[in-house]
Amino acid sequence: MQPGDLKDSILEMAPNGIYEIAVDGTILYSNPAHHRLLGYEPGTLVGRSILDLVPEADGERLRADLARLVETQPEPQPYLNSSFTRDGRQIVVEVHWTYKRDRADGRVIGFIAILNDVTTRIEAERLREEARHAAEQAALSRSRFLASASHDLRQPLQALALFVSRLERRDLDPTAREVVGNIRESVATLSSLLNGLLDMSKFDAGMTQVRVTDVPLREVFVQLRRDFGAVAERAGLRLRLRDTDCVVRSDPMLLRRVLGNLVVNAISYTRRGGLVVGARRRGQSVRLEVWDSGIGIPPDQLDLIFQEFYQVGNPARERREGLGLGLAIVDRACRALGHPVEVKSRVGRGSVFAVTVPAALEPAAPAAADLAAAVAAGQPPAPVLGGTVAVVEDDPAVRRALVSLLQDWQCTVIAAANGADLLAALAEARARPDVVIADLRLPGGMDGLAVAAAVSAELGHAVPALVVTGDTDPDRLRATLAAGCMLLHKPIDVGDLHGALTRLLGRTAAG
């Protein structure tokens, strides 16, 4: 067999379509695979124009491309092209090509191309893109629904939470105090459900901001004991938190939310015994563990428990067991933080969830440890705030409750239902508020951000603003953060409100 015969034999047996065309598009050679790809009998394509085998629009482009290639001779690059088969079916081919040159003077006299049929791949990519777009639209629709429903649901809940907080400070007989405690627990449960939906909405919208700093775990554990010790006790369980001096690198708010959700999950699925929260130093990392003696998780469900709305052992969807978002939020938060999370479990024996967090280089600051010890000893910050606070809230019940609470904290309060009325009240009282508290959605053409800006403009200096909202609309929330306002979501926790105002009033004093 001669070398030329060997080359021809290889081309004839090649699985890919191979052809050679002249500079005007005339087919000079076409191997059997090329014929099969297009559905033609062997030998019937030679002498035809390649332009006849592509859609009309592609043919015009291909004719211009051939002329341009001959003139400019750029480096060959593969490209996608559409072709018609003999029976009229349109396929997509990936074309790898090169020049054929005259041996004497090197001028371009044609082109050699190798084809790969990528129709199936392109269709699969199209379907994936459609599915991705549909998922994005579904997430957007859900966010819009949550934005509307969350705001309407949180308004009455906010008023109820504030009124309950005031009631708890009054001298009540044991029966009345028990009733108020039951109301508080119901409000806390509903708030938790709404906050879970809000957290998922914020993660889906990509709005969760991660601020990594040194976090003393002792403070986190003290807060967990304060938040969930009584909850575990009412469930007949013992919550133990092992003291630690470890300091980690994380976002303190997100880390507390992760551990809090794991503790709540453990309490929900533990009928007797208790749970333990501890930290183990592992080289440059700290492994945070939550152990429980609960019902355990079947092996085939370990990968499902981090999905939204999935709950082990709650087929009836009892609302007392939550929405099934706690572990989904843990998963989203740990992904955002870069903290691996894992779970081991034995049915009937309990589970252990572990989160691995980078260790900080320095030990906890003494001031932070002293603060943690003070909180542990039951010495929270004094409730007295003082200062002048401007409040704009269109819901009368929420406004009354908020004004009463601020007055309990010895604040001078000027309140109104909309921006225009607030500005008029401030002018009439000749008041210069230290802080503005504004609902985000307001009637009268001014939202909370516009009201805060207007107050600052009237006074001639920036007035710190706290925006409160039940809204989950991503655009509105981003605008709030971009305006430099502090943000709290309804129903507002009274402790969070006190802490936010303490920081804002401190900022005013510093200014």
Side-chain angles (χ1 to χ4, degrees), residues 78-405:
Y79 66 95
L80 295 179
N81 200 39
S82 298
S83 292
F84 283 123
T85 62
R86 188 178 182 183
D87 59 8
R89 183 170 56 90
Q90 187 170 345
I91 63 173
V92 181
V93 292
E94 185 177 53
V95 183
H96 296 259
W97 62 278
T98 188
Y99 298 103
K100 183 174 182 181
R101 300 179 183 275
D102 185 280
R103 293 185 177 180
D105 56 18
R107 61 189 176 87
V108 176
I109 58 175
F111 306 91
I112 300 172
I114 302 175
L115 306 181
N116 292 315
D117 184 358
V118 294
T119 307
T120 301
R121 189 191 80 192
I122 296 298
E123 177 65 13
E125 291 175 352
R126 183 186 68 80
L127 293 175
R128 282 197 297 270
E129 178 61 23
E130 288 183 355
R132 184 191 64 80
H133 180 70
E136 289 179 348
Q137 291 301 309
L140 182 60
S141 296
R142 183 176 67 180
S143 294
R144 287 172 177 165
F145 169 77
L146 290 176
S148 177
S150 177
H151 179 269
D152 295 340
L153 289 171
R154 288 170 185 270
Q155 288 293 91
L157 187 61
Q158 177 64 81
L160 182 58
L162 294 175
F163 283 131
V164 168
S165 177
R166 291 200 71 208
L167 273 176
E168 288 182 320
R169 291 184 171 85
R170 301 297 185 262
D171 291 330
L172 303 174
D173 61 67
T175 300
R177 185 162 296 281
E178 181 181 357
V179 172
V180 172
N182 291 334
I183 296 174
R184 175 177 49 77
E185 288 185 10
S186 297
V187 171
T189 298
L190 185 52
S191 298
S192 177
L193 297 178
L194 287 174
N195 286 335
L197 291 172
L198 173 64
D199 283 345
M200 294 304 299
S201 178
K202 290 169 69 176
F203 278 116
D204 289 343
M207 292 185 55
T208 303
Q209 296 182 337
V210 177
R211 297 183 175 89
V212 175
T213 185
D214 288 357
V215 182
L217 290 181
R218 178 173 291 140
E219 294 181 29
V220 177
F221 284 11
V222 165
Q223 188 66 47
L224 290 175
R225 181 179 290 107
R226 292 186 63 199
D227 290 344
F228 304 110
V231 177
E233 185 177 346
R234 285 193 295 270
L237 305 173
R238 183 184 179 190
L239 171 60
R240 291 185 294 163
L241 294 105
R242 294 175 174 169
D243 190 31
T244 177
D245 60 358
C246 289
V247 181
V248 297
R249 293 286 296 170
S250 186
D251 181 300
M253 296 296 292
L254 283 179
L255 185 62
R256 280 197 294 269
R257 191 66 193 265
V258 165
L259 292 176
N261 280 11
L262 291 177
V263 169
V264 169
N265 180 76
I267 293 173
S268 299
Y269 291 98
T270 303
R271 304 294 178 254
R272 61 180 183 273
L275 53 151
V276 178
V277 181
R280 302 173 187 269
R281 187 67 181 257
R282 297 285 179 85
Q284 299 302 310
S285 300
V286 176
R287 181 181 169 92
L288 303 175
E289 299 177 342
V290 178
W291 294 73
D292 66 62
S293 57
I295 63 175
I297 306 165
D300 61 348
Q301 298 185 41
L302 287 174
D303 292 334
L304 302 177
I305 59 174
F306 292 102
Q307 295 180 5
E308 299 173 29
F309 308 111
Y310 188 87
Q311 293 176 300
V312 176
N314 187 20
R317 304 294 302 165
E318 286 285 346
R319 286 284 73 83
R320 288 174 299 178
E321 301 293 340
L323 287 175
L325 290 176
L327 293 182
I329 292 170
V330 168
D331 181 62
R332 297 285 217 291
C334 285
R335 289 178 186 273
L337 291 166
H339 300 344
V341 58
E342 58 185 283
V343 56
K344 294 181 180 179
S345 185
R346 293 180 62 184
V347 175
R349 300 291 299 274
S351 306
V352 56
F353 287 81
V355 179
T356 301
V357 185
L361 298 179
E362 299 295 333
D370 292 343
L371 175 61
V375 173
Q379 302 170 6
V384 174
L385 286 173
T388 301
V389 181
V391 173
V392 56
E393 167 62 65
D394 62 311
D395 187 291
V398 175
R399 188 170 63 252
R400 286 196 303 272
L402 186 56
V403 168
S404 298
L405 185 64

Side-chain angles (χ1 to χ4, degrees), residues 18-91:
I18 301 175
Y19 65 84
E20 177 186 340
I21 60 173
V23 293
D24 62 358
T26 301
I27 299 175
L28 305 177
Y29 170 78
S30 174
N31 74 340
H34 186 220
H35 284 80
R36 288 194 302 271
L37 178 64
L38 301 180
Y40 287 90
E41 294 296 323
T44 58
L45 290 177
V46 174
R48 297 185 61 175
S49 174
I50 195 70
L51 304 177
D52 297 335
L53 306 179
V54 299
E56 183 176 351
D58 287 349
E60 292 299 321
R61 177 177 58 81
L62 184 55
R63 180 181 288 107
D65 285 347
L66 292 176
R68 177 180 58 81
L69 293 175
V70 171
E71 180 179 354
T72 62
Q73 299 183 29
E75 185 71 21
Q77 298 288 338
Y79 66 95
L80 295 179
N81 200 39
S82 298
S83 292
F84 283 123
T85 62
R86 188 178 182 183
D87 59 8
R89 183 170 56 90
Q90 187 170 345
I91 63 173

